[in-house]
Amino acid sequence: MEREIQHKLLINSLRSLGIRQSVLDAMMRVPRHLFVPEDVIASAYTDTPLPIGHGQTISAPHMVAIMCDRLDLRVGQKVLEIGTGSGYNAAIMAELVGKEGHIYSIERIQQLADLAKKNIEAAGYENVTIIRDDGSGGSLDHAPYDRINVTSAAPSIPNPLIQQLSNGGIMTIPVGNFTQRLYIVRKELDGSVHKEAEGEVVFVPLIGKYGFQEHE
Ligand code: SAM
């Protein structure tokens, strides 16, 4: 089947999850095959995570869709992503915040940060900055952030990330070890913080100062 048809079928299949239209449109505009390695390119438009090297994965499209939906991204927002991986999720968020917004995405593995930069450039996004670092404690450089998206599982919600979230901000973060749940963290305008756990998810671990230690 042609790539374009596979892409349409994939995005249509996400409708049943109740994903907002702006996210589906953004996912239709980002060619996932530009973000996966050559040896798995035939599976670019299947709803599964795929290996991207260094023991890491590009998340399944339905997971990217759910996180972007819960983040309720708006044009002009400043977003921090922790775990760039292939750069695919960053590209979807870049579509949603538009040229007026910006995505700062941190990746701890140098080769993946380099790969993501190449992918993001090939896809033509100029509103994404990729930083090679341990992002488990966020980044003070551009804080506070309107939205924070953590794409690897933390043992608990790192305090610095809550501090770096704007009042009125939203963070999505998978939390847990053997079983993980996706948390939606809302910081209200008065600074109070509400945490809500959604269903079970499976993510690679967040490794770093506020995550798991490398040997765990
Ligand atoms: N969002 C990615 C995409 O669209 O391809 C998928 C992310 S992958 C599931 C999780 C990524 O988090 C991995 O690339 C991993 O190296 C990275 N990671 C783990 N701990 C990290 C940390 N402390 N700081 C930054 N990145 C981290």
Side-chain angles (χ1 to χ4, degrees), residues 56-59 81-89 106-109 112 133-136 151-152 204-207:
Q56 307 301 323
T57 52
I58 175 175
S59 304
E81 179 182 53
I82 298 152
T84 318
S86 67
Y88 175 68
N89 203 336
I106 311 181
E107 171 55 54
R108 69 179 274 273
I109 300 175
L112 289 180
D133 208 346
D134 168 12
S136 61
T151 68
S152 45
V204 294
L206 177 78
I207 294 172

Side-chain angles (χ1 to χ4, degrees), residues 10-11 13-19 23-24 27 32 44-49 58-70 88-89 92 182 198 200-203:
L10 170 66
I11 305 306
S13 74
L14 302 176
R15 277 180 204 286
S16 61
L17 300 175
I19 304 297
V23 172
L24 297 176
M27 292 185 75
R32 192 170 185 247
Y45 296 104
T46 55
D47 193 12
T48 50
I58 175 175
S59 304
H62 74 269
M63 205 61 249
V64 175
I66 289 171
M67 289 176 116
C68 288
D69 185 76
R70 303 309 187 261
Y88 175 68
N89 203 336
I92 307 283
L182 181 64
E198 288 207 356
E200 279 195 20
V201 290
V202 181
F203 276 85

Side-chain angles (χ1 to χ4, degrees), residues 145-197:
Y145 303 95
D146 300 307
R147 301 290 187 260
I148 299 180
N149 186 34
V150 185
T151 68
S152 45
S156 57
I157 302 172
N159 253 325
L161 298 188
I162 293 179
Q163 282 158 9
Q164 289 166 33
L165 193 61
S166 303
N167 288 3
I170 305 175
M171 166 163 59
T172 45
I173 177 168
V175 179
N177 195 345
F178 298 109
T179 42
Q180 308 162 359
R181 297 188 71 185
L182 181 64
Y183 274 76
I184 319 298
V185 180
R186 287 191 175 79
K187 196 174 191 178
E188 306 296 347
L189 291 175
D190 65 3
S192 60
V193 176
H194 301 279
K195 302 166 191 170
E196 183 192 329

